[in-house]
Amino acid sequence: MIVLMLGAPGVGKGTQADLLQKEKNIPHLSTGAMLRNAIEIQSPTGIIAAEYVNSGRLVPDSVVTALVKESLESEAFANGCILDGYPRNSSQATELDDILQKLGRKIQVVINIFVPEETIVKRMLERGRKDDTEDVIRHRLVVYRNETAPLLDYYGQQGKVVTIDGDNTVHSVFGKIQDVLSA
Ligand code: AMP
C-alpha cells in the first residue's frame, strides 16, 4: 500500500505518518527527514541541500527524486510506504508516476491534512526546528500554496484525495486517518 500525505508544512504529516508506520508496519519515507540527515552528516546531497532547506526553498527536483527513487526501489519499501513531503510540485508528481509505473505500483490514497495558516505558524514556532523561523515558515507556506497545493487537483481528478481536519488532537486526527484507510 502506498499512502501519500499531503498538506502544508506543519500540519502534522510527519507525526501522523510515524503513527501509521507503527500501526501498519509500512515504512515512513520523509524527504525532509532524509535531507536533514544528509545535511547533518554533510554528505554530497546534504551539502547541496543545506542552503535550500535553511531558507525554506525547494531542493532541486533531481536531488530529491534520486533519494525517493533509490528508496522505492529498495527491498525495505517493497511492501509499500507512507510518502511524506514528496511530491512537492507537478514535475515531482510526474516523476513519481514514472517511478511507480516502472515498479508496477500505485498510490492508493492521498491524505490531505488541512490546518488554517495562522495555526500552522504558531505550531511551527513552538516546534523550533532550524528552518522554523517566522520568515522561513512564511516562505514555505507560499511555496506550498504555489507549487504543492495544485497537486490536490492532480490527485483529486484521479479520485484519490481525502481531506482531514488537522486542527485537532494528534489522537483524533489519527483516528480519522484510520477510518479512511479501513473504508
Ligand atoms: P519537510 O520536513 O517536509 O517540511 O521539508 C523540509 C524542507 O526540506 C523543505 O522546506 C524543503 O527545503 C526540503 N524538501 C523536503 N521535501 C522536498 C521535496 N520533495 N522537494 C524539494 N525540497 C524538499
Side-chain angles (χ1 to χ4, degrees):
M1 174 164 69
I2 296 181
V3 178
L4 207 150
M5 309 291 283
L6 266 187
V11 298
K13 299 188 296 293
T15 304
Q16 296 297 333
D18 273 341
L19 290 173
L20 209 52
Q21 157 168 284
K22 284 197 196 100
E23 191 188 83
K24 299 263 179 199
N25 214 9
I26 307 173
H28 173 192
L29 201 170
S30 158
T31 45
M34 288 171 97
L35 291 167
R36 281 186 289 281
N37 180 53
I39 292 170
E40 201 177 313
I41 63 170
Q42 299 187 321
S43 71
T45 298
I47 289 165
I48 298 171
E51 61 168 296
Y52 295 95
V53 173
N54 293 335
S55 60
R57 285 179 297 150
L58 293 186
V59 173
D61 293 339
S62 58
V63 174
V64 190
T65 297
L67 291 176
V68 171
K69 184 167 188 286
E70 195 187 347
S71 301
L72 289 178
E73 287 172 353
S74 74
E75 194 54 40
F77 293 89
N79 288 327
C81 75
I82 305 151
L83 262 175
D84 156 23
Y86 185 95
R88 267 271 222 297
N89 59 25
S90 61
S91 59
Q92 291 181 12
T94 311
E95 287 177 307
L96 177 61
D97 284 346
D98 198 46
I99 295 168
L100 292 179
Q101 199 202 348
K102 286 188 181 124
L103 292 168
R105 321 255 303 271
K106 273 203 177 103
I107 296 165
Q108 265 72 38
V109 62
V110 176
I111 295 181
N112 171 39
I113 305 180
F114 177 78
V115 174
E117 279 200 8
E118 285 316 307
T119 311
I120 292 178
V121 175
K122 208 170 139 256
R123 276 194 194 181
M124 287 173 109
L125 286 172
E126 282 165 8
R127 188 169 72 174
R129 222 165 62 190
K130 196 177 173 198
D131 56 343
D132 283 341
T133 61
E134 182 143 5
D135 281 356
V136 174
I137 292 170
R138 299 260 175 220
H139 185 67
R140 284 156 70 199
L141 289 171
V142 171
V143 171
Y144 173 76
R145 236 180 281 138
N146 294 341
E147 309 232 13
T148 313
L151 297 182
L152 290 170
D153 286 336
Y154 180 72
Y155 293 115
Q157 278 160 16
Q158 301 172 24
K160 290 190 174 160
V161 177
V162 180
T163 296
I164 286 180
D165 176 6
D167 198 2
N168 225 316
T169 63
V170 169
H171 182 73
S172 126
V173 175
F174 187 57
K176 288 185 228 161
I177 293 177
Q178 285 174 305
D179 291 346
V180 169
L181 296 182
S182 56

